[in-house]
């Protein structure tokens, strides 16, 4: 009998016993592995959170009790249990369900979440609102998978206090450096403390003592003080209790009975609770358990072998390999990542130069300021970061790097459309905020060779901060007969023609391919997008129409800056900016996203020819 077949809402699992729940967990894992092998997605983190999520929905009543998943990439079981099982095959596809939590999909998804370390802050706000409204429902923040390395999580913990009586924080610890309890006595006592019978007995004793005048209150305070003192002796980590939480753990995160017990205790608690559980990232799939980083976010793969279906050089791998080449010859070269060494191509560098490799955890703000310190004392730091995550460190980029006149090289991966990862991960905002930063040069390579050359320029030909932004995946094409000569821009075709197409980075290839099907047109490829060399306007003196195609946001983007240069020049030119308007980009393939925003080759031809 398939238990999963009969689960269409959280209520359907409340009548299942422990053995049946374990069978259900096994079936959920099978569905996850099968779906992600076809669609790609976050596998290892989700496999590790299966029992936890099942236990949460067994004990609590979503959405009256609100569950907030940090990052959102450990929510697949939650989606399956909350009415999206039959749609799960559409995970991360165009028009399908999101790979992250999304309130528009389900009332059980409280927030859209794709970035880390936000859950506790959100949960505190939710809990406070419930308290103000007289709502006794619980709020549960599920944080883990490295998210507790982010500073926002600590800011939230610091502001949680004792007053959030309906707040529960679950730390899903899958190999983070948080101390275990000392010795078997502590573990046995922890087992007793998480027993619902013990908790009920303790509550009854306290109520009985409260009825005794004077003496009862004194005895109750003495017991509480003694209890706290014993916990400090028996446990290494008292940080959470010092911050006002009742701390339970560590709990085996794959023991569903133990999870149900401790969650049942937390549910009736009249105090903020933190539950620390240990899980195995990739649990239940051998390849993911052995290599959780590889299966954290993975494309389509062969279930039998665990190997990706497609492979080959990518911008990330070319960046990592060439950085090793630079580091071979220059001991000042350092690499910094914020918990993304695999995704940014730095695994080879970390193995070859461990003393010059720094993984700071999910802490982009710290990464930038740390890099400024390296630069100040003579090193050449390369900070490799996804475009969508660099957003978190804008202030540090401005204040601690650019304003100081320091040379930090920002290697911005996943710039532009990223496809199926959806709204939270699209790299279309970095151009807009980078264009506003003084003392910063921004390059946009269109090929692997250009990426390497621009890395060299950043290290040895620029005196201030440099950003190099490049897309996810492989290069689209080479332009026959063209060689990048470190010019700020290049012109393709006869600049005396009336129509000009302008672009940069990956998008230029679509423009170049469209050029042969457009009458009376030439093209300009911007290699340095900040600052834009004003001499480029000289190439437009015979142009009547300029079309700027940008794989980025309109407001503050490169196209707006280019249009401003035209306006200031006094040239009578019709200017049209084709880009992403004021909106978030839904999940779809990159090819489909290009078409939707009229940035694909056929749309470019149609746009320019029709005008």
């Amino acid at each position: 009998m398939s238990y999963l077949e009969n689960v269409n809402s959280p209520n359907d699992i409340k009548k299942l016993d422990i053995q049946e729940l374990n069978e259900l967990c096994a079936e959920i894992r099978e569905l996850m592995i099968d779906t992600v092998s076809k669609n790609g997605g976050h596998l290892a983190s989700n496999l590790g959170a299966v029992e936890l999520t099942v236990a949460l929905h067994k004990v609590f009543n979503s959405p009256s009790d609100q569950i907030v998943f940090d990052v959102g990439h450990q929510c697949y079981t939650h989606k399956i249990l909350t009415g999206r099982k039959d749609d799960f095959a559409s995970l991360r596809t165009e028009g399908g369900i999101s790979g992250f939590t999304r309130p528009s999909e389900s009332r059980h998804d409280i927030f859209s979440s794709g970035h880390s370390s936000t859950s506790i802050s959100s949960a505190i706000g939710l809990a406070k609102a419930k308290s103000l409204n007289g709502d006794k429902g619980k709020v549960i923040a599920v944080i883990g998978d490295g998210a507790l390395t982010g500073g926002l999580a600590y800011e939230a913990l610091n502001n949680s206090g004792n007053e959030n009586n309906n707040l529960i924080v679950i730390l899903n610890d899958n190999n983070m450096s948080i101390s275990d309890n000392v010795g078997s006595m502590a573990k046995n006592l922890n087992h007793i403390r998480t027993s619902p019978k013990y908790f009920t007995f303790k509550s009854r004793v306290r109520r009985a003592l409260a009825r005794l005048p004077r003496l009862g209150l004194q005895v109750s305070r003495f017991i509480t003080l003694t209890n706290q003192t014993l916990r400090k002796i028996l446990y290494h980590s008292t940080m959470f209790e010092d911050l006002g939480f009742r701390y339970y753990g560590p709990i085996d995160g794959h023991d569903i009975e133990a999870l149900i017990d401790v969650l049942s205790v937390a549910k009736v608690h009249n105090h903020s609770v933190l539950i620390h559980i240990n899980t195995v990232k990739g649990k239940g799939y051998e390849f993911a358990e052995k290599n959780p980083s590889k299966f954290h976010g993975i494309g389509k793969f062969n279930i039998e072998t665990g190997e990706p279906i497609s492979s080959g050089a990518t911008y990330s791998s070319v960046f990592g390999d060439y950085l090793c080449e630079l580091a071979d010859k220059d001991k000042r070269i350092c690499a910094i990542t914020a918990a993304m060494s695999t995704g940014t191509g730095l695994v080879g560098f970390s193995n070859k130069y461990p003393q010059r490799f720094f993984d700071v955890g999910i802490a982009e703000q710290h990464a930038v300021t740390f890099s400024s310190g390296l630069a100040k004392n003579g090193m050449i730091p390369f900070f490799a970061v996804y475009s969508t995550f660099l957003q978190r460190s804008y202030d540090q980029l401005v204040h601690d790097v650019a304003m100081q006149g320091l040379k930090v090289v920002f290697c911005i991966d996943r710039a532009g459309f990223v496809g199926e990862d959806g709204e939270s991960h699209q790299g279309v905002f970095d151009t807009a905020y980078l264009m506003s930063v003084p003392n910063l040069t921004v390059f946009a390579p269109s090929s692997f060779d250009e990426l390497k050359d621009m890395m060299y320029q950043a290290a040895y030909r620029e005196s201030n901060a440099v950003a190099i932004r490049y897309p996810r995946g492989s290069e689209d094409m080479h332009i026959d007969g063209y060689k990048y000569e470190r010019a700020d821009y290049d012109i393709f075709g006869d600049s005396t023609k009336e129509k000009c197409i302008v672009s940069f980075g990956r998008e230029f290839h679509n423009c170049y391919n469209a050029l042969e099907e457009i009458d009376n047109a030439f093209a300009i490829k911007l290699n340095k997008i900040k600052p834009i060399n004003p001499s480029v306007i000289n190439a437009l003196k015979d142009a009547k129409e300029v079309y700027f195609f940008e794989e980025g946001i309109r407001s503050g983007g490169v196209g707006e800056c280019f249009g401003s240069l035209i306006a200031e020049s006094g040239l009578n030119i019709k200017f049209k900016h084709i880009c992403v308007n004021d909106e978030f980009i839904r999940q779809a393939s990159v090819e489909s996203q290009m078409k939707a925003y009229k940035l694909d080759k056929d749309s470019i031809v149609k746009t320019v020819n029709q005008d």
Side-chain angles (χ1 to χ4, degrees):
M1 176 183 176
S2 170
Y3 294 100
L4 185 56
E5 189 176 294
N6 296 310
V7 173
N8 298 301
S9 77
N11 288 333
D12 293 327
I13 70 170
K14 296 189 184 299
K15 54 194 173 185
L16 300 181
D17 61 28
I18 299 301
Q19 182 177 344
E20 291 169 331
L21 291 173
N22 281 319
E23 292 290 339
L24 174 65
C25 290
E27 293 174 11
I28 289 171
R29 282 194 169 91
E30 287 183 19
L31 177 59
M32 273 188 202
I33 295 167
D34 180 65
T35 302
V36 176
S37 73
K38 298 171 183 174
N39 298 4
H42 292 90
L43 184 60
S45 52
N46 277 290
L47 289 174
V50 175
E51 285 85 3
L52 168 62
T53 311
V54 169
L56 282 169
H57 283 293
K58 172 77 171 176
V59 173
F60 295 98
N61 298 306
S62 176
S64 297
D65 297 314
Q66 296 176 306
I67 305 171
V68 182
F69 287 91
D70 209 292
V71 184
H73 65 221
Q74 47 191 336
C75 70
Y76 290 2
T77 301
H78 169 76
K79 286 178 178 280
I80 291 167
L81 296 177
T82 53
R84 287 165 279 183
K85 172 192 64 182
D86 294 337
D87 296 324
F88 198 67
S90 71
L91 181 75
R92 301 178 77 253
T93 62
E94 187 171 2
I97 64 173
S98 171
F100 303 97
T101 48
R102 180 188 284 169
S104 61
E105 277 184 15
S106 171
R107 63 197 182 105
H108 296 279
D109 290 3
I110 309 305
F111 285 103
S112 291
S113 176
H115 292 183
S116 89
S117 311
T118 63
S119 64
I120 304 176
S121 293
S122 300
I124 292 171
L126 291 166
K128 175 55 69 176
K130 279 184 176 289
S131 177
L132 293 172
N133 292 326
D135 183 346
K136 295 184 178 180
K138 294 290 185 178
V139 180
I140 305 100
V142 181
I143 186 168
D145 214 17
L148 202 63
T149 62
L152 180 59
Y154 291 98
E155 294 177 29
L157 286 170
N158 185 54
N159 281 277
S160 58
N162 298 319
E163 57 185 271
N164 286 296
N165 297 333
N166 52 357
L167 174 66
I168 300 169
V169 176
I170 298 175
L171 171 56
N172 178 13
D173 178 2
N174 51 20
N175 201 26
M176 292 166 58
S177 52
I178 295 176
S179 300
D180 290 335
N181 293 340
V182 177
S184 58
M185 180 179 291
K187 292 180 181 178
N188 289 331
L189 283 176
N190 184 68
H191 175 72
I192 294 171
R193 290 174 67 229
T194 57
S195 164
K197 291 181 180 178
Y198 166 73
F199 187 81
T200 302
F201 170 75
K202 187 171 72 171
S203 297
R204 287 174 179 171
V205 169
R206 283 182 174 171
R207 285 197 298 270
L209 287 170
R211 296 190 190 103
L212 299 176
R214 296 183 181 178
L215 181 63
L217 181 60
Q218 292 176 4
V219 172
S220 180
R221 286 175 175 171
F222 175 76
I223 291 173
T224 299
L225 180 61
T226 303
N227 195 19
Q228 291 173 349
T229 303
L230 283 172
R231 280 201 298 270
K232 289 186 178 182
I233 293 171
L234 292 168
Y235 291 85
H236 274 311
S237 176
T238 61
M239 178 185 73
F240 301 118
E241 292 197 313
D242 289 342
L243 288 170
F245 287 90
R246 290 287 187 267
Y247 172 83
Y248 295 98
I251 309 293
D252 181 352
H254 303 297
D255 183 338
I256 201 160
E257 185 171 13
L259 288 170
I260 290 172
D261 282 348
V262 74
L263 291 172
S264 298
V265 168
K267 184 176 182 179
V268 297
H269 226 302
N270 63 351
H271 201 284
S272 300
V273 176
L274 188 138
I275 303 171
H276 176 188
I277 70 169
N278 287 330
T279 60
V280 176
K281 197 170 181 180
K283 177 74 172 178
Y285 183 53
E286 180 184 4
F287 299 110
E289 286 190 35
K290 289 181 176 178
N291 195 345
S293 294
K294 175 181 176 181
F295 285 87
H296 171 75
I298 191 168
K300 299 176 183 180
F301 65 93
N302 185 311
I303 293 178
E304 299 301 321
T305 65
E307 290 302 314
I309 290 176
S310 60
S311 59
T314 65
Y315 276 94
S316 303
S317 64
V318 170
F319 157 74
D321 290 344
Y322 188 63
L323 193 62
C324 285
E325 289 185 34
L326 292 177
D328 284 341
K329 302 171 184 176
D330 191 336
K331 293 182 179 180
R332 296 175 297 167
I333 300 290
C334 298
I336 300 92
T337 182
M340 298 297 292
S341 59
T342 301
T344 57
L346 286 175
V347 172
F349 190 102
S350 68
N351 293 330
K352 194 171 184 180
Y353 303 105
Q355 299 302 315
R356 287 186 272 157
F357 171 77
F358 308 98
D359 186 343
V360 301
I362 303 177
E364 287 83 2
Q365 292 172 291
H366 167 61
V368 174
T369 304
F370 168 69
S371 297
S372 73
L374 288 171
K376 184 71 174 181
N377 273 357
M379 307 306 287
I380 304 176
F382 281 72
F383 174 35
V385 59
Y386 287 8
S387 169
T388 187
F389 300 142
L390 182 61
Q391 295 165 187
R392 286 197 281 252
S393 52
Y394 176 73
D395 179 64
Q396 288 69 34
L397 194 161
V398 172
H399 183 273
D400 300 331
V401 175
M403 196 172 79
Q404 312 297 332
L406 296 170
K407 181 161 68 179
V408 174
V409 184
F410 297 88
C411 297
I412 306 175
D413 205 327
R414 269 66 166 177
F417 298 141
V418 298
E420 294 82 0
D421 283 344
E423 300 97 320
S424 63
H425 280 57
Q426 306 297 341
V428 296
F429 300 104
D430 62 84
T431 47
Y433 63 77
L434 292 175
M435 297 298 286
S436 68
V437 181
N439 292 339
L440 176 69
T441 297
V442 185
F443 289 106
S446 298
S447 69
F448 291 163
D449 287 341
E450 288 180 28
L451 170 61
K452 291 189 284 188
D453 206 315
M454 290 172 181
M455 289 171 64
Y456 185 89
Q457 288 184 76
Y460 301 113
R461 294 181 180 273
E462 299 289 337
S463 57
N464 291 319
V466 178
I468 307 171
R469 63 185 310 274
Y470 44 91
R472 181 180 194 173
S474 60
E475 62 182 354
D476 292 337
M477 61 172 280
H478 286 286
I479 300 174
D480 291 339
Y482 167 73
K483 180 174 174 55
Y484 171 59
E485 298 288 355
R486 298 179 180 169
D488 291 347
Y489 59 90
D490 286 300
I491 299 173
F492 295 82
D494 183 357
S495 63
T496 63
K497 292 184 177 181
E498 292 187 351
K499 295 180 179 181
C500 178
I501 301 169
V502 187
S503 192
F504 59 91
R506 170 172 60 185
E507 173 60 19
F508 180 76
H509 293 298
N510 290 334
C511 294
Y512 181 80
N513 288 335
L515 193 60
E516 62 184 24
E517 298 181 31
I518 298 173
D519 298 330
N520 198 22
F522 69 102
I524 295 176
K525 179 168 83 75
L526 299 179
N527 304 313
K528 182 186 288 186
I529 59 175
K530 182 187 183 297
I532 299 173
N533 191 327
S535 70
V536 70
I537 300 302
N538 296 333
L540 304 176
K541 62 182 185 298
D542 295 321
K544 298 292 186 286
E545 302 170 11
V546 173
Y547 300 85
F548 198 107
F549 293 89
E550 181 171 4
E551 191 184 336
I553 202 76
R554 177 185 300 278
S555 181
V558 184
E560 278 199 352
C561 293
F562 195 89
S564 178
L565 287 175
I566 294 175
E568 291 170 3
S569 72
L571 293 174
N572 184 22
I573 297 175
K574 173 186 173 183
F575 179 75
K576 189 168 185 178
H577 188 193
I578 300 90
C579 56
V580 178
N581 288 311
D582 190 20
E583 61 187 283
F584 293 102
I585 301 166
R586 299 295 289 267
Q587 66 194 41
S589 66
V590 171
E591 180 182 6
S592 180
Q593 289 167 343
M594 287 286 192
K595 187 173 182 179
Y597 290 94
K598 299 182 179 180
L599 296 170
D600 62 303
K601 175 198 152 186
D602 291 341
S603 296
I604 293 169
V605 172
K606 186 176 180 181
T607 296
V608 179
N609 279 340
Q610 281 186 347
D611 284 8

